[in-house]
Amino acid sequence: MTKTIKIQTPQAALPALMVAPNGARLKKADHPAIPQTIPEIVSTALACAEAGADGIHAHVRDENGDHTLDAGLYKELLAELAQVVPGIQHQITTEAVGRYTPDEQIRLVRSVHPRSVSVSLAEMTAQGWTSQVEGFYKWCNESEVAVQHILYSPDDLGNLIKLSNQGSIPDTRLRMLFVLGRYGQGVPSQPDAIAGFLQMLPQLKAKPDWAVCAFGQSETACLRAAGQMGGKVRIGFENNTINEDGAIARDNAERIAQFISSRDRS
């Protein structure tokens, strides 16, 4: 019998500690514990829930292990997660990785109709602020699809503030992820960078629900700082596979355990 675990998390709010176990880029050759298949992702979700996560941000992979916006695979994954880890929040992604258009991202979300999805504002508006994009955000709000806006810079946040304050993006349950550092670009993640986002939040008419993720070995320090500033965190192999002491983490659950231990000592 498959073991299940239940954690009560309000679906309307961001999880306090969301695991991002695989992302769009890393494969088994990068770390053997990168979950690629649906059974591997579900097993990782269970282990991470037991370690203290109350949400999962998951990417599905195709038969070659590559990132894909395949609605059928996402539906299958969500169904399995609902059976095995029903009490944590299950979030899918529309990440484009330079391959998917805004229209393709929109079709994915409308087809899957998830309860939670992460959307990069920069990627969704790559072809401008179109009626299709505006209609997408309004449909998500009306359809109870919780959108977490992925923001790679304070400039992205400034764009979201403008769109939200003018009513183009609904401000009900406004959720954000501040991304520190960059994948594969050698841009270090610094806890001080969080302040660049936070100082802009008073410009919003609505109070947001925000979280932080950070690339590289400084992930733990950045997330610890986010918690001290009142934010939530997203952690996992999508952004970093190294513990704060420099050792390569065994798996995503170890990253969570290491972070929680570090946070509780601070």
Side-chain angles (χ1 to χ4, degrees), residues 37-249:
T37 67
I38 287 176
E40 288 173 345
I41 297 170
V42 172
S43 176
T44 297
L46 177 59
C48 290
E50 292 174 331
D54 57 350
I56 179 171
H57 163 87
H59 294 240
V60 290
R61 304 291 186 89
D62 63 19
E63 63 274 10
N64 297 316
D66 294 324
H67 168 74
T68 179
L69 297 187
D70 185 295
L73 288 175
Y74 267 123
K75 289 177 182 178
E76 182 181 348
L77 173 63
L78 291 175
E80 291 297 317
L81 289 171
Q83 289 294 316
V84 179
V85 276
I88 71 171
Q89 192 171 127
H90 310 141
Q91 183 186 85
I92 72 168
T93 181
T94 64
E95 186 170 354
V97 294
R99 297 208 310 265
Y100 293 100
T101 66
D103 283 348
E104 289 172 314
Q105 295 173 61
I106 290 169
R107 283 200 297 272
L108 169 75
V109 180
R110 285 181 176 269
S111 176
V112 177
H113 201 146
R115 297 191 67 185
S116 178
V117 62
S118 72
V119 179
S120 163
L121 185 63
E123 291 181 344
M124 187 57 72
T125 59
Q127 298 173 355
W129 184 255
T130 65
S131 59
Q132 288 87 349
V133 170
E134 183 164 355
F136 165 73
Y137 284 111
K138 290 182 177 179
W139 176 85
C140 287
N141 185 58
E142 294 167 355
S143 303
E144 297 294 324
V145 176
V147 175
Q148 184 177 26
H149 303 277
I150 310 303
L151 307 169
Y152 291 99
S153 68
D155 286 344
D156 281 355
L157 176 55
N159 192 23
L160 177 61
I161 289 171
K162 180 187 71 174
L163 291 167
S164 175
N165 286 348
Q166 71 188 25
S168 297
I169 288 181
D171 63 6
T172 53
R173 303 182 300 278
L174 199 59
R175 306 164 192 81
M176 305 173 180
L177 180 75
F178 305 147
V179 181
L180 308 185
R182 292 291 184 273
Y183 177 82
Q185 295 182 14
V187 179
S189 302
Q190 300 290 344
D192 291 348
I194 300 171
F197 291 95
L198 296 186
Q199 66 186 9
M200 300 177 67
L201 294 185
Q203 300 174 38
L204 276 165
K205 294 179 181 178
K207 183 179 180 180
D209 189 5
W210 62 273
V212 167
C213 74
F215 284 92
Q217 189 179 340
S218 56
E219 177 186 47
T220 300
C222 291
L223 300 189
R224 193 165 54 234
Q228 292 167 349
M229 295 176 188
K232 297 171 180 178
V233 302
R234 197 183 85 178
I235 187 171
F237 280 9
E238 174 167 350
N239 300 108
N240 171 53
T241 61
I242 304 174
N243 288 330
E244 193 169 27
D245 63 4
I248 297 175

Side-chain angles (χ1 to χ4, degrees), residues 13-33:
L14 287 174
L17 197 164
M18 175 177 279
V19 65
N22 54 1
R25 296 171 176 85
L26 298 186
K27 295 188 176 183
K28 299 286 189 184
D30 299 295
H31 194 296

